[in-house]
Amino acid sequence: MKKLIVANWKSNKTVEEARVWLEAFNQTSGHDQLTVAIAPSWPLLPVVAENAAGGRAVLAVQDLSPFPAGSYTGAVSARNLEGWPVKYAIVGHSERRRYFHETVQDIARKVEQAVTARITPIVCVDEGYIAEQAAAIEPELLTHCLVAHEHAATIGTGHGESLSVVKHMVAEVKHAFGEVPVLYGGSVDAFNVNEYLLIADGVLVGTASLEVAAFTQLLAATQQLEPA
Ligand code: PGA
């Protein structure tokens, strides 16, 4: 698999700001050895889908309803996304667990909804519940997942996880989930991305994806990596 770089915009950006970001992004040169995914908030999905249509980036979502289509006010179901080229769904981000009190069972249901809709779930985990999260997911669905290890205390701080801890976590994730691709997230930027990509199959990028200059600088930095 090509290295996967996921831009997680979280609850940032207006439609106009997203458009400006994408126009600048589309003017930069492509990166053949990478898959770039952009995860905007729901209202920005159309502008990202339209402007990334040139194939420079694929579409991801930051969450998904644990329920199918039906009477679940406020939730966005996999069915709602039909017709949009959504490739990945981040599920169980630590901010969802912290501020929205999501449980490992909720996240397991989201995985099921995503896989049924042929969307690849990116299951976020942190030390302490990796095995518990894997155990909550139907065993036959585990190999459909990508798993992102993100230590909550490193997110948005400018201080990423040490490489030795990331190595250890990648092994722990594979022990619990099987041979799945493992991503790293937590203060990834242009200066540390290559170190993480030597260990992980990709990275989740929050802060350094918000300014297009910082994000394209990060992508450019990966050019020094040997092709997979
Ligand atoms: P950060 O966010 O890059 O700002 O640390 C990463 C994430 O939350 O996915």
Side-chain angles (χ1 to χ4, degrees):
M1 141 180 172
K2 288 183 183 182
K3 299 286 184 184
L4 175 63
I5 315 285
V6 184
N8 178 4
W9 287 352
K10 306 190 181 183
S11 299
N12 297 290
K13 297 196 188 299
T14 61
V15 169
E16 189 49 31
E17 286 164 354
R19 199 188 309 282
V20 169
W21 192 104
L22 289 156
E23 273 168 15
F25 176 72
N26 286 340
Q27 277 163 22
T28 60
S29 53
H31 302 279
D32 291 346
Q33 87 288 19
L34 300 175
T35 302
V36 177
I38 300 173
S41 56
W42 300 119
L44 308 183
L45 206 69
V47 70
V48 175
E50 280 160 27
N51 288 278
R56 294 288 318 282
V58 298
L59 197 55
V61 291
Q62 299 174 15
D63 189 29
L64 194 63
S65 175
F67 302 110
S71 300
Y72 305 101
T73 300
V76 176
S77 68
R79 179 98 206 286
N80 292 144
L81 298 174
E82 258 184 49
W84 293 103
V86 175
K87 179 105 178 63
Y88 300 102
I90 300 170
V91 294
H93 190 283
S94 62
E95 288 153 12
R96 300 287 319 167
R97 297 183 197 249
R98 178 173 175 198
Y99 299 115
F100 301 91
H101 312 295
E102 289 185 3
T103 65
V104 293
Q105 284 78 23
D106 294 328
I107 292 148
R109 286 188 208 104
K110 294 177 182 207
V111 167
E112 196 177 335
Q113 292 301 316
V115 173
T116 306
R118 296 174 192 277
I119 295 170
T120 301
I122 300 176
V123 183
C124 299
V125 295
D126 196 352
E127 55 190 297
Y129 57 78
I130 295 174
E132 189 192 352
Q133 181 62 80
I137 295 170
E138 293 292 331
E140 69 273 17
L141 300 183
L142 288 174
T143 54
H144 292 267
C145 297
L146 304 189
V147 180
H149 174 258
E150 300 202 296
H151 185 35
T154 66
I155 292 176
T157 61
H159 302 288
E161 192 65 272
S162 75
L163 298 181
S164 59
V165 171
V166 177
K167 262 188 205 151
H168 177 75
M169 289 302 161
V170 168
E172 208 176 305
V173 166
K174 287 188 190 279
H175 181 71
F177 282 76
E179 265 311 311
V180 293
V182 185
L183 316 182
Y184 166 75
S187 295
V188 177
D189 59 26
F191 304 100
N192 61 23
V193 63
N194 280 344
E195 293 178 338
Y196 292 122
L197 288 181
L198 287 174
I199 305 171
D201 298 296
V203 287
L204 242 66
V205 185
T207 309
S209 73
L210 295 180
E211 296 292 336
V212 70
F215 190 63
T216 51
Q217 203 185 344
L218 182 153
L219 297 181
T222 69
Q223 294 298 298
Q224 295 141 21
L225 275 184
E226 292 290 316

